[in-house]
PDB file of all heavy atoms in Angstrom:
ATOM      1  N   CYS A  84       6.561  -2.419   1.330  1.00  0.00           N
ATOM      2  CA  CYS A  84       7.171  -1.711   2.510  1.00  0.00           C
ATOM      3  C   CYS A  84       8.340  -2.490   3.071  1.00  0.00           C
ATOM      4  O   CYS A  84       9.398  -1.869   3.411  1.00  0.00           O
ATOM      5  CB  CYS A  84       6.113  -1.491   3.551  1.00  0.00           C
ATOM      6  SG  CYS A  84       4.984  -0.166   3.056  1.00  0.00           S
ATOM      7  N   ALA A  87      11.318  -2.130   0.828  1.00  0.00           N
ATOM      8  CA  ALA A  87      11.959  -0.799   1.040  1.00  0.00           C
ATOM      9  C   ALA A  87      12.725  -0.776   2.397  1.00  0.00           C
ATOM     10  O   ALA A  87      13.786  -0.247   2.420  1.00  0.00           O
ATOM     11  CB  ALA A  87      10.911   0.306   1.011  1.00  0.00           C
ATOM     12  N   ALA A  88      12.104  -1.403   3.385  1.00  0.00           N
ATOM     13  CA  ALA A  88      12.818  -1.434   4.688  1.00  0.00           C
ATOM     14  C   ALA A  88      14.145  -2.225   4.571  1.00  0.00           C
ATOM     15  O   ALA A  88      15.144  -1.838   5.154  1.00  0.00           O
ATOM     16  CB  ALA A  88      11.876  -2.082   5.756  1.00  0.00           C
ATOM     17  N   PHE A  91      16.665   0.112   2.935  1.00  0.00           N
ATOM     18  CA  PHE A  91      17.086   1.134   3.841  1.00  0.00           C
ATOM     19  C   PHE A  91      17.967   0.577   4.965  1.00  0.00           C
ATOM     20  O   PHE A  91      19.054   1.118   5.255  1.00  0.00           O
ATOM     21  CB  PHE A  91      15.924   1.891   4.501  1.00  0.00           C
ATOM     22  CG  PHE A  91      15.233   2.848   3.573  1.00  0.00           C
ATOM     23  CD1 PHE A  91      13.870   2.802   3.396  1.00  0.00           C
ATOM     24  CD2 PHE A  91      15.956   3.893   2.921  1.00  0.00           C
ATOM     25  CE1 PHE A  91      13.225   3.711   2.558  1.00  0.00           C
ATOM     26  CE2 PHE A  91      15.309   4.759   2.051  1.00  0.00           C
ATOM     27  CZ  PHE A  91      13.974   4.667   1.889  1.00  0.00           C
ATOM     28  N   LEU A  92      17.538  -0.493   5.572  1.00  0.00           N
ATOM     29  CA  LEU A  92      18.272  -1.058   6.676  1.00  0.00           C
ATOM     30  C   LEU A  92      19.563  -1.730   6.170  1.00  0.00           C
ATOM     31  O   LEU A  92      20.601  -1.710   6.915  1.00  0.00           O
ATOM     32  CB  LEU A  92      17.426  -2.069   7.506  1.00  0.00           C
ATOM     33  CG  LEU A  92      16.228  -1.372   8.208  1.00  0.00           C
ATOM     34  CD1 LEU A  92      15.402  -2.441   8.856  1.00  0.00           C
ATOM     35  CD2 LEU A  92      16.685  -0.339   9.201  1.00  0.00           C
ATOM     36  N   VAL A 113      18.682   9.143   9.305  1.00  0.00           N
ATOM     37  CA  VAL A 113      17.522   9.331   8.460  1.00  0.00           C
ATOM     38  C   VAL A 113      17.217   7.965   7.776  1.00  0.00           C
ATOM     39  O   VAL A 113      16.108   7.519   7.706  1.00  0.00           O
ATOM     40  CB  VAL A 113      17.784  10.417   7.385  1.00  0.00           C
ATOM     41  CG1 VAL A 113      16.741  10.362   6.262  1.00  0.00           C
ATOM     42  CG2 VAL A 113      17.737  11.760   8.097  1.00  0.00           C
ATOM     43  N   VAL A 114      18.301   7.329   7.244  1.00  0.00           N
ATOM     44  CA  VAL A 114      18.079   6.026   6.633  1.00  0.00           C
ATOM     45  C   VAL A 114      17.558   4.971   7.634  1.00  0.00           C
ATOM     46  O   VAL A 114      16.653   4.196   7.292  1.00  0.00           O
ATOM     47  CB  VAL A 114      19.387   5.517   5.991  1.00  0.00           C
ATOM     48  CG1 VAL A 114      19.371   4.062   5.493  1.00  0.00           C
ATOM     49  CG2 VAL A 114      19.806   6.375   4.816  1.00  0.00           C
ATOM     50  N   LEU A 115      18.048   4.926   8.793  1.00  0.00           N
ATOM     51  CA  LEU A 115      17.585   4.091   9.883  1.00  0.00           C
ATOM     52  C   LEU A 115      16.129   4.355  10.226  1.00  0.00           C
ATOM     53  O   LEU A 115      15.338   3.447  10.347  1.00  0.00           O
ATOM     54  CB  LEU A 115      18.492   4.224  11.099  1.00  0.00           C
ATOM     55  CG  LEU A 115      18.539   3.112  12.133  1.00  0.00           C
ATOM     56  CD1 LEU A 115      18.990   1.818  11.460  1.00  0.00           C
ATOM     57  CD2 LEU A 115      19.398   3.451  13.215  1.00  0.00           C
ATOM     58  N   LEU A 116      15.756   5.601  10.334  1.00  0.00           N
ATOM     59  CA  LEU A 116      14.395   6.039  10.604  1.00  0.00           C
ATOM     60  C   LEU A 116      13.455   5.599   9.412  1.00  0.00           C
ATOM     61  O   LEU A 116      12.379   5.053   9.712  1.00  0.00           O
ATOM     62  CB  LEU A 116      14.323   7.524  10.815  1.00  0.00           C
ATOM     63  CG  LEU A 116      12.920   8.106  11.070  1.00  0.00           C
ATOM     64  CD1 LEU A 116      12.403   7.596  12.474  1.00  0.00           C
ATOM     65  CD2 LEU A 116      12.956   9.603  11.038  1.00  0.00           C
ATOM     66  N   LEU A 117      13.843   5.857   8.250  1.00  0.00           N
ATOM     67  CA  LEU A 117      12.997   5.430   7.066  1.00  0.00           C
ATOM     68  C   LEU A 117      12.805   3.864   7.020  1.00  0.00           C
ATOM     69  O   LEU A 117      11.758   3.400   6.749  1.00  0.00           O
ATOM     70  CB  LEU A 117      13.646   5.907   5.773  1.00  0.00           C
ATOM     71  CG  LEU A 117      13.560   7.381   5.541  1.00  0.00           C
ATOM     72  CD1 LEU A 117      14.434   7.821   4.286  1.00  0.00           C
ATOM     73  CD2 LEU A 117      12.153   7.849   5.373  1.00  0.00           C
ATOM     74  N   GLY A 118      13.901   3.120   7.410  1.00  0.00           N
ATOM     75  CA  GLY A 118      13.785   1.702   7.435  1.00  0.00           C
ATOM     76  C   GLY A 118      12.806   1.247   8.508  1.00  0.00           C
ATOM     77  O   GLY A 118      12.000   0.349   8.289  1.00  0.00           O
ATOM     78  N   GLY A 119      12.858   1.865   9.712  1.00  0.00           N
ATOM     79  CA  GLY A 119      11.941   1.579  10.745  1.00  0.00           C
ATOM     80  C   GLY A 119      10.520   1.924  10.438  1.00  0.00           C
ATOM     81  O   GLY A 119       9.598   1.102  10.664  1.00  0.00           O
ATOM     82  N   MET A 120      10.315   3.059   9.784  1.00  0.00           N
ATOM     83  CA  MET A 120       8.971   3.461   9.373  1.00  0.00           C
ATOM     84  C   MET A 120       8.409   2.501   8.321  1.00  0.00           C
ATOM     85  O   MET A 120       7.235   2.165   8.361  1.00  0.00           O
ATOM     86  CB  MET A 120       8.957   4.844   8.931  1.00  0.00           C
ATOM     87  CG  MET A 120       9.132   5.913   9.977  1.00  0.00           C
ATOM     88  SD  MET A 120       9.145   7.591   9.409  1.00  0.00           S
ATOM     89  CE  MET A 120       7.563   7.734   8.662  1.00  0.00           C
ATOM     90  N   ALA A 121       9.173   2.079   7.431  1.00  0.00           N
ATOM     91  CA  ALA A 121       8.800   1.129   6.343  1.00  0.00           C
ATOM     92  C   ALA A 121       8.389  -0.184   6.949  1.00  0.00           C
ATOM     93  O   ALA A 121       7.397  -0.811   6.538  1.00  0.00           O
ATOM     94  CB  ALA A 121       9.862   0.988   5.233  1.00  0.00           C
ATOM     95  N   LEU A 122       9.188  -0.639   7.999  1.00  0.00           N
ATOM     96  CA  LEU A 122       8.805  -1.894   8.682  1.00  0.00           C
ATOM     97  C   LEU A 122       7.404  -1.672   9.381  1.00  0.00           C
ATOM     98  O   LEU A 122       6.517  -2.623   9.307  1.00  0.00           O
ATOM     99  CB  LEU A 122       9.815  -2.249   9.718  1.00  0.00           C
ATOM    100  CG  LEU A 122      11.082  -2.955   9.290  1.00  0.00           C
ATOM    101  CD1 LEU A 122      12.035  -3.085  10.396  1.00  0.00           C
ATOM    102  CD2 LEU A 122      10.736  -4.275   8.720  1.00  0.00           C
ATOM    103  N   TRP A 123       7.227  -0.612  10.066  1.00  0.00           N
ATOM    104  CA  TRP A 123       5.976  -0.350  10.773  1.00  0.00           C
ATOM    105  C   TRP A 123       4.762  -0.278   9.806  1.00  0.00           C
ATOM    106  O   TRP A 123       3.789  -0.891  10.069  1.00  0.00           O
ATOM    107  CB  TRP A 123       6.132   0.963  11.588  1.00  0.00           C
ATOM    108  CG  TRP A 123       4.809   1.287  12.334  1.00  0.00           C
ATOM    109  CD1 TRP A 123       3.871   2.150  11.949  1.00  0.00           C
ATOM    110  CD2 TRP A 123       4.336   0.657  13.547  1.00  0.00           C
ATOM    111  NE1 TRP A 123       2.845   2.188  12.855  1.00  0.00           N
ATOM    112  CE2 TRP A 123       3.131   1.268  13.848  1.00  0.00           C
ATOM    113  CE3 TRP A 123       4.842  -0.289  14.376  1.00  0.00           C
ATOM    114  CZ2 TRP A 123       2.391   0.952  14.934  1.00  0.00           C
ATOM    115  CZ3 TRP A 123       4.097  -0.636  15.517  1.00  0.00           C
ATOM    116  CH2 TRP A 123       2.906  -0.067  15.774  1.00  0.00           C
TER     117      TRP A 123
END
Side-chain angles (χ1 to χ4, degrees):
C84 287
F91 285 127
L92 296 176
V113 167
V114 168
L115 201 59
L116 178 68
L117 288 172
M120 287 178 61
L122 278 174
W123 177 260

